[in-house]
Amino acid sequence: MRIRSTHLDRIRAPGYDDCMAGTKPIHAIDFLDTGEMPTVPPVCVVFGTESFLKRKVVARIREAVLGQGEGEFSLATFDGHNATCAEVFQELATLAMFGGSRRLVVVEQADEFVSRYRAELEHYVSHPKASGVLLLEVATWQATTRLYKAVAANGLQVECTSPPPARLTPWLIGLARKEHRARLSSGVAEQLVEMIGPDLGLLDQELAKLALSAGPDGEITPDLVCRMVGTWRAKTAWDMLDAALEGHTAEALLQFDRLMLAGEHPVAVLAQISSSLRRLAAATRLVLAAEACGQRISLRTALEQAGVKGFFLAKAERQLRRLGRHRGQRLYKWLLETDLGLKGDSQADPRQLLERLLVRLSLAPSPAIPRV
């Protein structure tokens, strides 16, 4: 079934009308969760750094515009580094001999293309060709530009960034159900995210493996996740964090060195360990807040309230007791400093930033500082 539309067509998705009426894009998760096949305006921009969501969004737009079968004859793809505006517009204006009257022209990695031909694109968005759909795939998309505002008024903008933690777990549960026909509880979904990190593509791969081993009822259990999930890199990151929190500095740095030699990026390593450290920091704050009110709360209760699951409670309690309240209070600050530094806020080498964090976690607490 082919979907035809004009530039006044709108996709019906949660919050979509508000996004299109103003300047806000629609997030990829909302776009992909629409039950019906969307209608697509003549200009679409898919932006962000989450490659898994980008592939999903582009595939859905492609299906909506071209349908199936001979619709593939109406698809043209350009490399944004080498494409010229003239050849892209010519392709948009050309009718295919097969596959229907509507064409889809995709410019991949189009950041440079957009910079070179911004004025021409602004004019095109205001006067699009009804016979074709132009899809720009970019990493960055500035809200302060005239082109952004023109696309907001006449086209579609889909943001492909990692969802916040509050949305990541429900998304993972829905992905397991819709694409892998498996049942996933919220607790197991959180366990997966904690073990693998927020890489959506890797989470999807692990779900596919788990679904094949889930049995006839399709339920993915915590035991199954513990037995099957994670490459050796994920396991190494966990061993590295455990070694640091238990005071084994040399072992922690050795495990980190193995990850670096294998090509792992420091940002990915931080993503794998930060959720556990944030829970330890949250538990510390709960203990201190209770004491400030003249009350007492057990460390285990604080860890439970901070989101630590039952099968990790004993280890987390032991680690936090060794860490102590002074360093527990500083965890949020250390994580923020490391994260900002890895994203360019520091002149230090990314590897040094992670090594500093590991050393801070592993050093023996001062006898003068009371533990949690």
Side-chain angles (χ1 to χ4, degrees), residues 248-303:
H248 306 311
T249 309
E251 177 64 22
L253 293 176
L254 175 63
Q255 298 288 6
F256 179 59
D257 186 57
R258 289 174 178 170
L259 290 170
M260 294 298 97
L261 290 174
E264 190 69 278
H265 195 281
V267 172
V269 176
L270 181 64
Q272 292 182 65
I273 66 175
S274 59
S275 60
S276 296
L277 293 175
R278 284 196 299 268
R279 291 191 179 99
L280 296 181
T284 304
R285 285 191 173 182
L286 288 170
V287 170
L288 297 177
E291 290 179 355
C293 297
Q295 302 173 354
R296 290 189 62 82
I297 180 175
S298 71
L299 196 52
R300 180 167 290 247
T301 300
L303 287 165

Side-chain angles (χ1 to χ4, degrees), residues 24-316:
K24 290 185 178 180
I26 180 174
H27 195 275
I29 288 181
D30 294 325
F31 179 79
L32 295 170
D33 278 349
T34 54
E36 300 177 359
M37 186 61 68
T39 54
V40 180
V43 180
C44 305
V45 177
V46 179
F47 70 95
T49 56
E50 179 45 68
S51 58
F52 176 81
L53 289 179
K54 274 187 172 179
R55 291 195 300 270
K56 291 285 188 181
V57 169
V58 171
R60 187 167 177 81
I61 292 175
R62 178 173 169 172
E63 183 181 359
V65 175
L66 303 179
Q68 299 177 354
E70 292 185 346
E72 296 300 311
F73 288 100
S74 296
L75 171 68
T77 303
F78 291 91
D79 179 1
H81 299 293
N82 306 313
T84 66
C85 199
E87 60 187 359
V88 169
F89 288 165
Q90 181 180 2
E91 195 68 39
L92 283 164
T94 303
L95 294 178
M97 294 182 63
F98 306 98
S101 60
R102 206 160 191 224
R103 295 185 64 76
L104 175 64
V105 178
V106 180
V107 184
E108 298 176 335
Q109 301 181 47
D111 296 78
E112 185 178 335
F113 178 83
V114 169
S115 297
R116 284 200 311 267
Y117 301 110
R118 188 174 298 277
E120 292 88 340
L121 290 169
E122 289 171 2
H123 177 76
Y124 182 84
V125 173
S126 301
H127 306 85
K129 304 294 184 183
S131 59
V133 173
L134 173 62
L135 192 157
L136 301 173
E137 181 266 303
V138 295
T140 58
W141 189 238
Q142 296 295 330
T144 56
T145 64
R146 287 195 297 268
L147 182 56
Y148 178 102
K149 295 172 184 176
V151 177
N154 299 305
L156 167 67
Q157 302 174 103
V158 184
E159 178 185 356
C160 296
T161 55
S162 295
R167 299 197 68 188
L168 185 54
T169 299
W171 171 82
L172 200 59
I173 294 171
L175 184 69
R177 182 181 68 254
K178 295 175 186 176
E179 299 198 13
H180 302 290
R181 297 182 181 180
R183 291 189 294 113
L184 194 67
S185 68
S186 59
V188 176
E190 290 175 1
Q191 181 185 0
L192 269 173
V193 173
E194 188 168 351
M195 293 180 70
I196 298 172
D199 187 315
L200 304 191
L202 186 55
L203 285 167
D204 180 62
Q205 292 176 24
E206 295 295 340
L207 274 179
K209 291 192 298 185
L210 288 165
L212 292 174
S213 304
D217 60 349
E219 182 179 5
I220 298 175
T221 64
D223 179 66
L224 185 64
V225 171
C226 289
R227 284 190 290 110
M228 295 194 60
V229 164
T231 62
W232 73 269
R233 294 186 184 186
K235 182 179 183 301
T236 300
W238 279 95
D239 290 343
M240 176 193 72
L241 180 60
D242 286 346
L245 290 172
E246 290 168 10
H248 306 311
T249 309
E251 177 64 22
L253 293 176
L254 175 63
Q255 298 288 6
F256 179 59
D257 186 57
R258 289 174 178 170
L259 290 170
M260 294 298 97
L261 290 174
E264 190 69 278
H265 195 281
V267 172
V269 176
L270 181 64
Q272 292 182 65
I273 66 175
S274 59
S275 60
S276 296
L277 293 175
R278 284 196 299 268
R279 291 191 179 99
L280 296 181
T284 304
R285 285 191 173 182
L286 288 170
V287 170
L288 297 177
E291 290 179 355
C293 297
Q295 302 173 354
R296 290 189 62 82
I297 180 175
S298 71
L299 196 52
R300 180 167 290 247
T301 300
L303 287 165
E304 288 177 336
Q305 292 181 10
V308 178
K309 300 305 175 185
F311 37 84
F312 290 128
L313 273 174
K315 182 174 72 172

Side-chain angles (χ1 to χ4, degrees), residues 304-331:
E304 288 177 336
Q305 292 181 10
V308 178
K309 300 305 175 185
F311 37 84
F312 290 128
L313 273 174
K315 182 174 72 172
E317 183 176 358
R318 182 179 67 252
Q319 291 173 341
L320 188 52
R321 287 190 183 280
R322 183 191 176 278
L323 195 65
R325 65 178 64 202
H326 178 70
R327 288 189 295 171
Q329 285 179 284
R330 298 174 65 85
L331 278 177

